Amino acid sequence: MDKQSTTKLIKKKAQEIGFDLVGITPALPHKDLPFFDQWIQQGRDASMTYLQRRRDDRADPRRLLENAKSIICCGMNYYGGEPKSIECDDPERGWISRYAWGDDYHDIVLAKLKELEDFIRQEIDETAELKAYVDTGPILERSYAASAGLGWIGKNTLLINRQQGSYFFIGEILCSLDLAPDTPETDHCGHCQLCIDHCPTDAIAPYELDSNRCIAYLTIEHRGDIATEFHEAIGQHVVGCDICQEVCPWNKAPALSQEPRFKPREGLLHPRLSELAQLDETAFREKFRKSPIKRVKAAGLQRNTAIVQKNQQKPRNAGES
Ligand code: B12
């Protein structure tokens, strides 16, 4: 089978498996690596030192799979059409970021990538060398996915697709087969800077995010107390933040997810603060088994909930959203 036909077959299978986006890019060092290095040098990674630890592996995907020639980049939409955080103003309730409502995307996306790997070995080339990653590998996922034509990197730093918006996860397979590459999408942010204007902590400069100020970082990754200067700006966010995506015009009416396991688990869309505050270690572990929220840890959720409860008790100013 020629390169074009093989590529077409793999893409068709990826879509059958449930990926909303699929594209190919060569497994070579990426031109965006200097941005990553600069970001780290400026300390934008905050306490996420794991990012720099495997910097050299990030520099070249062939360090992860020696014979890699192509990267099969896949996107999986998690948008279910539910309301946005900025549409909830019940003071008894908080907001959990959309990506964290359902089952853990690492497991779901990885299982689908494994299914695609099996197909490649069984139907195309049994000697193909393949290695799949979702989020946790030392790979510049957004940069490779952008090169594979899945979308463009927006000013809010998310990968945005014209049909899917930005509420999609990225996973990829490093592959020893030489596949036909796609062409990258062009930037469609234009003069818009709603994400920058609406970020409550001023964490975003065009195409660059400072994790030290990002509510997603502070509420999910940061351990220990959160600096008081951010408490008020955290607003109702108990886990993660979606504001820079919610105000994005490309997320006004994106395609809907085909994956029922991303639907909100009971009580997670606009969660009751009093219920979250009651969760001890055991109850937390039980409630968030196989959920991305487990990364926040029980102590983190308690800390965040206390901040939000304090915020929700304050009288709101007229005209405030
Ligand atoms: C660390 C991390 C975070 C950190 C830092 C985020 C950040 N913007 O860097 C924190 C905890 C804040 C975070 C938050 C979120 N994350 Co996160 N995160 C990651 C992780 C593990 C690494 C990202 C990274 O390397 N950052 C370093 C910076 C420099 O890289 P980058 O932002 O990707 O930028 C690249 C390009 O934009 C380009 N570039 C950078 N600057 C410039 C400037 C110019 C001019 C140009 C042309 C290019 C360019 O080069 C960079 C290197 O490749 C990735 C998985 C992965 N392995 O990539 C997931 C990932 C980026 N996260 C994801 C998600 C879903 C989220 C959240 C939406 C979760 C939430 N709601 O709380 C938020 C979104 C916040 C945001 N605006 O980014 C998805 C994004 C999917 C998408 N459609 O874009 C990823 C890809 C995970 C996945 N596999 O699906 N995340």
Side-chain angles (χ1 to χ4, degrees):
M1 211 184 319
D2 66 26
K3 186 158 128 175
Q4 301 291 345
S5 313
T6 307
T7 308
K8 218 166 141 187
L9 207 60
I10 292 174
K11 287 181 166 180
K12 187 166 164 271
K13 185 65 185 177
Q15 264 149 1
E16 278 167 21
I17 288 171
F19 286 113
D20 302 284
L21 296 166
V22 54
I24 312 290
T25 192
L28 293 171
H30 201 284
K31 65 169 177 42
D32 285 353
L33 186 68
F35 289 118
F36 179 83
D37 285 339
Q38 195 187 7
W39 191 79
I40 298 283
Q41 272 155 22
Q42 290 168 338
R44 307 275 194 233
D45 54 337
S47 69
M48 298 177 291
T49 46
Y50 70 89
L51 288 169
Q52 26 180 323
R53 225 172 292 135
R54 295 187 68 188
R55 183 267 172 204
D56 291 346
D57 290 339
R58 266 185 176 74
D60 191 338
R62 292 167 300 190
R63 287 177 63 105
L64 305 172
L65 184 73
E66 201 184 334
N67 295 321
K69 291 209 175 54
S70 313
I71 307 182
I72 306 167
C73 297
C74 298
M76 195 170 172
N77 181 328
Y78 60 89
Y79 178 73
E82 292 84 1
K84 299 173 176 176
S85 61
I86 43 186
E87 291 161 8
C88 163
D89 59 2
D90 180 344
E92 303 290 319
R93 293 172 187 269
W95 179 261
I96 290 174
S97 185
R98 198 174 287 274
Y99 88 97
W101 290 344
D103 290 353
D104 197 331
Y105 64 94
H106 297 97
D107 302 335
I108 295 175
V109 178
L110 195 62
K112 288 191 186 289
L113 291 174
K114 294 279 175 206
E115 208 180 321
L116 189 57
E117 283 190 358
D118 290 345
F119 171 81
I120 295 170
R121 285 204 189 92
Q122 281 157 21
E123 306 294 329
I124 293 171
D125 182 350
E126 60 179 5
T127 66
E129 292 170 53
L130 305 161
K131 208 162 189 182
Y133 292 97
V134 184
D135 193 27
T136 45
I139 302 189
L140 304 174
E141 289 191 324
R142 294 200 263 219
S143 292
Y144 284 105
S147 300
L150 265 57
W152 73 96
I153 294 167
K155 287 183 190 166
N156 60 5
T157 78
L158 281 133
L159 192 69
I160 310 174
N161 175 277
R162 288 211 272 187
Q163 283 76 40
Q164 306 288 334
S166 64
Y167 299 117
F168 62 88
F169 300 116
I170 301 168
E172 57 280 325
I173 301 176
L174 305 187
C175 168
S176 59
L177 303 177
D178 183 20
L179 302 172
D182 285 279
T183 40
E185 168 66 294
T186 48
D187 187 330
H188 294 283
C189 285
H191 295 298
C192 178
Q193 52 165 34
L194 287 171
C195 55
I196 296 163
D197 296 343
H198 281 81
C199 175
T201 52
D202 292 327
I204 309 173
Y207 308 101
E208 198 187 340
L209 180 119
D210 185 355
S211 305
N212 297 287
R213 306 188 68 84
C214 175
I215 295 173
Y217 166 78
L218 292 168
T219 57
I220 301 169
E221 299 290 330
H222 180 75
R223 304 286 174 247
D225 291 344
I226 295 176
T228 43
E229 65 169 300
F230 297 119
H231 285 201
E232 203 176 331
I234 282 173
Q236 62 192 27
H237 295 96
V238 281
V239 177
C241 175
D242 290 327
I243 293 177
C244 65
Q245 301 197 80
E246 291 183 339
V247 298
C248 175
W250 293 100
N251 281 333
K252 255 194 188 130
L256 295 177
S257 173
Q258 312 167 47
E259 177 53 69
R261 287 172 292 174
F262 290 147
K263 278 279 173 199
R265 290 184 180 183
E266 208 190 318
L268 294 193
L269 171 65
H270 299 160
R272 273 197 178 281
L273 295 169
S274 54
E275 282 171 22
L276 296 182
Q278 276 166 17
L279 296 174
D280 60 13
E281 285 277 354
T282 318
F284 176 90
R285 227 175 301 127
E286 178 62 26
K287 190 171 174 69
F288 297 118
R289 191 176 303 139
K290 289 186 186 261
S291 149
I293 296 176
K294 62 182 180 297
R295 186 165 179 88
V296 179
K297 309 237 183 311
L301 188 64
Q302 297 247 339
R303 171 199 65 190
N304 302 343
T305 305
I307 293 173
V308 174
Q309 281 180 315
K310 206 173 65 189
N311 288 339
Q312 297 288 52
Q313 278 154 18
K314 285 187 195 143
R316 287 164 187 239
N317 297 329
E320 206 180 53
S321 59

